[in-house]
Amino acid sequence: MKKLFYIVFIILYANISASDAAHLFAKGNEFYKLKQYDRAIEAYEEILSQGWESPEVFLNIGNCYYRKGKLGYSILFYERAKKISANDEDINHNLLIAYSRTTDKIETLPSVFIFQWWESLVTFFSTSGWTIFSYILFLIVLFFVGLFFLTKNQRIRKISFFAGITSVAIFVMSILILSIRINNTQSLKYAVVVQPSVTVKSSPDKNSVDSFILHEGIKVRIEDKVDLWYKLRLEDGKIGWVEKKSFEFI
């Protein structure tokens, strides 16, 4: 069922035919089975080059890099897959395994429960997921509004009125969350360290003081840029500067 959905999606939104996509995907899978991971990656990335971003393709690329021992790149593509399909069990499982192998163990700063709950709610769906959810709610609102004005049965009118009010409230909330999700996607930039190790500097200068060392696979937030230097922030609050070659944006 999932593969059928992806094929339909390709037909509608990508510049690649379903037969070509299926062929490339099957080709990549065959190379993966033969442990020819570089050739498998080439096949999967050819699909991406046509403008189709699929969580399943990102997941398979991440698996290839994991098998090649390139932990940083495997986590990068798992995170890209999760960005599209946040609640996919396979993606989250593989990501958890990959993160368990990272050298650096970053402790997250404690946060208030209500903020944790809100963050979980906002990230429950991807941006496209919240868009679809909001669209469905909009149709439900229209249904109850139409039912309220078209029926003469008082009991049904009463039910449709309260159901409509509830639907509108949920719809407004979903739009709010969608706008936050879009804003976060545009303003918050996350990346993954892909080099085996990188020395984080105290300022955007090679001659500045060394702050700390990071190893591949660590997810960071990018907050600023000066020439080829980028300011990063870790989940434990540490900040520093690294060159662009040290990481890849998710």
Side-chain angles (χ1 to χ4, degrees), residues 9 19 23 39 49 53 57 107 132 154 192 203 240-241:
F9 187 87
S19 59
H23 173 70
R39 300 185 69 180
S49 69
E53 292 191 350
V57 173
E107 295 184 4
I132 295 171
Q154 292 302 315
V192 174
S203 62
W241 294 82

Side-chain angles (χ1 to χ4, degrees), residues 54-148:
S54 158
E56 192 169 69
V57 173
F58 282 137
L59 174 63
N60 286 9
I61 295 176
N63 290 339
C64 289
Y65 278 117
Y66 186 84
R67 294 294 183 182
K68 282 166 57 69
K70 292 190 175 182
L71 192 61
Y73 280 100
S74 69
I75 290 176
L76 171 68
F77 281 92
Y78 290 152
E79 286 285 359
R80 287 176 177 174
K82 184 175 181 178
K83 191 174 181 179
I84 301 174
S85 184
N87 297 307
D88 187 284
E89 290 184 357
D90 292 333
I91 294 171
N92 289 321
H93 175 72
N94 288 14
L95 193 55
L96 185 63
I97 292 175
Y99 272 129
S100 70
R101 293 191 56 195
T102 56
T103 301
D104 303 315
K105 307 303 178 185
I106 310 298
E107 295 184 4
T108 305
L109 290 175
S111 58
V112 181
F113 169 75
I114 188 64
F115 294 130
Q116 291 180 337
W117 176 84
W118 177 252
E119 181 66 20
S120 298
L121 180 61
V122 171
T123 58
F124 187 78
F125 292 128
S126 63
T127 301
S128 58
W130 278 113
T131 301
I132 295 171
F133 183 70
S134 299
Y135 178 71
I136 293 173
L137 283 173
F138 177 70
L139 294 179
I140 292 174
V141 170
L142 290 181
F143 170 78
F144 284 120
V145 170
L147 187 63
F148 177 81

